[in-house]
């Protein structure tokens, strides 16, 4: 028997280094997901951002497996010949047997190898494979479900690929990591065929949970009852039970999986991001100011003719993601905005809130009135530039002859005529539009119907305005030419009061960009932050209780969060953004990638016990950020000053408060992340 190598894993909570005795030179990792080079949902972000860290760990022995989508391959993948002889033989054999398998590099950070399988080319095998699936595993698939049919093809083809790889003369220790049910069938077939492969299955959500929550079921408080008479669709449960190691992305999803999939996860693998740290602490604040000014330009055009509010006293809130009206919390966000509008009006607040809803829906084009607004704004800018040039020329000529200009004569009649015509062009007979696009199903759209019910129509009397942008943001858009990251940086607060959110990348992205956010204790992100931060609110992470409170109570709590945020001064918002950005280390893959490393180590030890030994360690006690030193021990907001203070006072104190923040940062004393060594060797498995 060969000498067993120890996979001793040190405490994840202490962020200590892994056992250096673990050697991956005779192991190969295949990571299989429908979202490899194919942007569908949040799993794409997981795979894409994690690729760099995994490539550093596995080097040439790391391969991503996904579906071949020609439009994506053209822009994201460089097709090359396989560098590994065994993998080249496998792909050649599959191609000669009626498949189309491509190999290349995914053009993202880490440049990982990808194996892309054209499932449409083997669609002729669908009926026979579905029959085989029923005979071997008693799993039936409806003939009309295209998504399930695609998953059947993808599952059989990935199992075929792994089966061919294991037939090599000197097979390596193979780890196959399958993400979600769309790839899970390949795992079931690997175990049914008894392939010598260490398998991992990660569920990022359950279809049943998503659908039940969308149907207004009190899901989390009745999990035991739900699991008694309903099982999860298709083969998620089979994949969870067949895997050597089963993982989920959050504690809240772990509870869900235990009830619905009937297996408790071995490890929770939180989702991370590649965090870009700035050399100077204020750089991300500068980016916020730049992006905010671009959003202000859009707002000037959108509200032309009704721009009776001060943009310097304007706060930008947003919600973004898949258009699931109740699951994403858009329902209680709208209700809270209506209540916030009332509070701001009765308290005579000079703050205006503009709430953006960035959720893709069916549209046929941009709204004409919205496009007109941007055209009017541009025309006003051009007019101002023309008058400025004429004014500047006259001023220059006056100074040349040594005379102080007579301001009353600097603008002539023609200048005033141009400016008056520009002002008349801003007159508007209707209210600023709610939606920036023409909706195909306007009368049945949930957001628009809710807006009609609560009566927020962007009138002058409203302190809360709503803009519904039913399309993902793009820097090439003629309306709001910003990509998503730029837009988030320019906002003041992200609001994500989700009822069903297994993880929640949107608040995580806000955090790493220094933007405060509101999430819930039913989202993976919210639970993770509650576990790792002593006082999340002090760091700009507001966590809404949606599990132990009714809808109306949760809505009142959300309204309170929003109203308290509106009462913050500019100085307080700057301090809060600094604190929020400091949490980015907690969400970096350099830390969270360790959970995936532990899962792979555990799978190798279970599949090859004669070669690998896994020594589990206690990972339940998470690292906790302490309460900021400058926050007083009271429920009041940090650094409150007198009720009335000027912007000048804010500016004068910014430097002093930045010094306090640096002192707080030193007290946190977070260790530098451990960087895995790059491996350049490849093996002939």
């Amino acid at each position: 028997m060969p000498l067993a190598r120890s996979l001793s894993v040190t405490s994840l909570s202490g962020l200590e280094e892994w056992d250096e005795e673990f050697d991956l030179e005779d192991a190969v990792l295949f990571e299989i997901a429908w979202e490899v080079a194919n942007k569908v949902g949040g799993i794409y972000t997981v795979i894409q951002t994690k690729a760099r860290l995994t490539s550093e760990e596995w080097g040439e022995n790391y391969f991503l497996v996904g579906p071949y989508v020609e439009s994506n391959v053209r822009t994201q993948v460089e097709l090359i010949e396989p560098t590994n002889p065994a993998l080249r033989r496998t792909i050649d054999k599959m191609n000669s047997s009626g498949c189309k398998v491509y190999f290349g590099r995914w053009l993202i950070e880490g440049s990982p190898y990808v194996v892309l399988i054209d499932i449409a080319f083997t669609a002729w095998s669908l009926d026979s494979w579905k029959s085989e699936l029923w005979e071997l595993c008693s799993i039936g698939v409806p003939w009309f479900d295209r998504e399930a049919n695609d998953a059947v093809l993808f599952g059989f083809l990935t199992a075929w690929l792994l089966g061919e790889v294991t037939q090599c003369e000197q097979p390596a220790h193979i780890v196959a990591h399958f993400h979600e049910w769309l790839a899970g069938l390949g795992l079931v077939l690997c175990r049914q065929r008894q392939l010598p492969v260490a398998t991992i299955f990660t569920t990022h959500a359950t279809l049943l949970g998503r659908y039940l929550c969308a149907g207004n079921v009190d899901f989390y408080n009745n999990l035991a009852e739900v699991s008694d008479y309903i099982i999860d669709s298709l083969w998620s449960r089979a994949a969870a039970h067949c895997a050597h190691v089963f993982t989920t992305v959050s504690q809240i999803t772990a509870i869900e999986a235990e009830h619905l999939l009937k297996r408790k996860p071995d490890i929770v693998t939180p989702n991370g991001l590649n965090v870009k740290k700035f050399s100077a602490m204020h750089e991300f604040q500068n980016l916020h100011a730049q992006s905010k000014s671009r959003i202000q330009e859009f707002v000037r055009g959108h509200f032309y003719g009704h721009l009776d509010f001060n943009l310097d006293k304007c706060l930008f809130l947003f919600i973004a993601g898949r258009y699931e009206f109740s699951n994403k919390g858009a329902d209680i966000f709208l209700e809270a905005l209506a209540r916030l509008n009332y509070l701001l009006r009765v308290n005579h607040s000079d703050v205006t809130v503009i709430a953006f809803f960035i959720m893709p829906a069916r549209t046929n084009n941009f709204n004409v009135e919205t496009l007109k607004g941007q055209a009017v704004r541009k025309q006003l800018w051009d007019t101002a530039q023309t008058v400025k040039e004429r004014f500047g020329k006259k001023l220059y000529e006056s100074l040349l002859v040594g005379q102080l200009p007579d301001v009353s004569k600097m603008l002539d009649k023609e200048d005033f005529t141009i400016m008056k015509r520009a002002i008349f062009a801003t007159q508007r007979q209707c209210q600023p539009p709610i939606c920036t696009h023409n909706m195909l199903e306007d009368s049945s759209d949930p957001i628009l119907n809710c807006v009609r019910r609560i009566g927020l129509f962007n009138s002058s009397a409203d302190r809360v305005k709503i803009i519904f942008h039913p399309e993902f943001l793009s820097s090439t858009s003629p309306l709001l030419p910003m990509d998503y990251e730029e837009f988030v940086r320019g906002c003041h607060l992200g609001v994500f009061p989700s009822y069903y959110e297994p993880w929640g990348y949107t608040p995580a992205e806000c955090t790493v960009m220094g933007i405060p956010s509101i999430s819930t204790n039913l989202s993976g992100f919210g639970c993770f932050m509650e576990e790792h931060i002593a006082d999340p609110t002090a760091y700009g992470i507001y966590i809404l209780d949606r599990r132990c409170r009714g809808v109306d109570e949760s809505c009142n709590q959300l309204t309170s969060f929003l109203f308290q945020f509106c009462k913050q001064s500019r100085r307080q918002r700057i301090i809060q953004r600094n604190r929020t950005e400091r949490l980015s280390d907690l969400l970096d893959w350099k830390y969270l990638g360790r959970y995936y490393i532990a899962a792979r180590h555990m799978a190798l030890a279970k599949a090859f016990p004669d070669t690998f030994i896994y020594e589990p360690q206690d990972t339940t006690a998470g690292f906790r950020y302490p309460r900021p030193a400058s926050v007083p021990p009271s429920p009041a907001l940090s650094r409150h000053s007198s009720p009335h203070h000027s912007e000048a006072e804010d500016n004068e104190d910014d430097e002093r408060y930045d010094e306090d923040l640096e002192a707080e940062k030193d007290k946190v004393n977070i260790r530098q992340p451990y960087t895995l060594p790059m491996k350049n060797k490849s093996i002939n498995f």
Side-chain angles (χ1 to χ4, degrees), residues 132-150:
E132 181 181 347
L133 184 62
W134 174 256
E135 293 171 1
L136 296 178
C137 307
S138 298
I139 295 177
V141 181
W143 66 271
F144 53 83
D145 191 334
R146 178 173 180 177
E147 192 175 38
N149 289 336
D150 287 346

Side-chain angles (χ1 to χ4, degrees), residues 7 22 24 27 173 175 198 600-609 612:
L7 303 184
F22 180 60
L24 294 176
H173 298 101
V175 181
R600 292 191 287 265
H601 290 188
M602 183 185 296
L604 281 169
K606 286 186 176 182
F608 309 107
F612 300 99

Side-chain angles (χ1 to χ4, degrees), residues 662-675:
E662 287 298 322
E664 289 178 21
K665 190 173 183 180
D666 291 338
K667 291 181 181 179
V668 174
N669 193 25
I670 305 171
R671 292 183 56 184
Q672 290 298 316
Y674 171 64
T675 303

Side-chain angles (χ1 to χ4, degrees), residues 291-326:
S291 297
K292 183 179 70 173
S293 67
R294 297 182 64 184
I295 297 176
Q296 287 175 335
E297 282 302 297
F298 167 79
V299 169
R300 288 186 176 98
H302 192 85
F303 290 93
Y304 82 93
H306 294 269
L307 200 64
D308 53 358
F309 52 88
N310 186 356
L311 278 175
D312 290 331
K313 297 281 187 179
C314 193
L315 298 180
F316 300 135
L317 280 55
F318 81 100
I319 182 173
R322 187 186 291 111
Y323 195 174
E324 296 178 3
F325 183 63
S326 57

Side-chain angles (χ1 to χ4, degrees), residues 588-661:
D588 198 329
W589 274 123
K590 291 178 181 178
Y591 291 119
L592 298 184
R594 298 164 182 270
Y595 294 93
Y596 276 92
I597 295 174
R600 292 191 287 265
H601 290 188
M602 183 185 296
L604 281 169
K606 286 186 176 182
F608 309 107
D610 294 339
T611 308
F612 300 99
I613 298 175
Y614 176 74
E615 298 177 2
Q617 300 289 326
D618 179 23
T619 61
T620 57
F623 175 80
R624 288 179 68 83
Y625 274 70
R627 184 184 180 90
S630 63
V631 175
S634 70
L637 290 174
S638 64
R639 293 294 185 183
H640 271 227
S641 58
S642 60
H644 302 285
H645 53 269
S646 66
E647 293 293 328
E649 290 174 341
D650 290 345
N651 294 332
E652 290 171 1
D653 290 344
D654 282 347
E655 185 175 351
R656 176 170 59 85
Y657 276 86
D658 282 343
E659 292 174 359
D660 292 346
L661 289 166

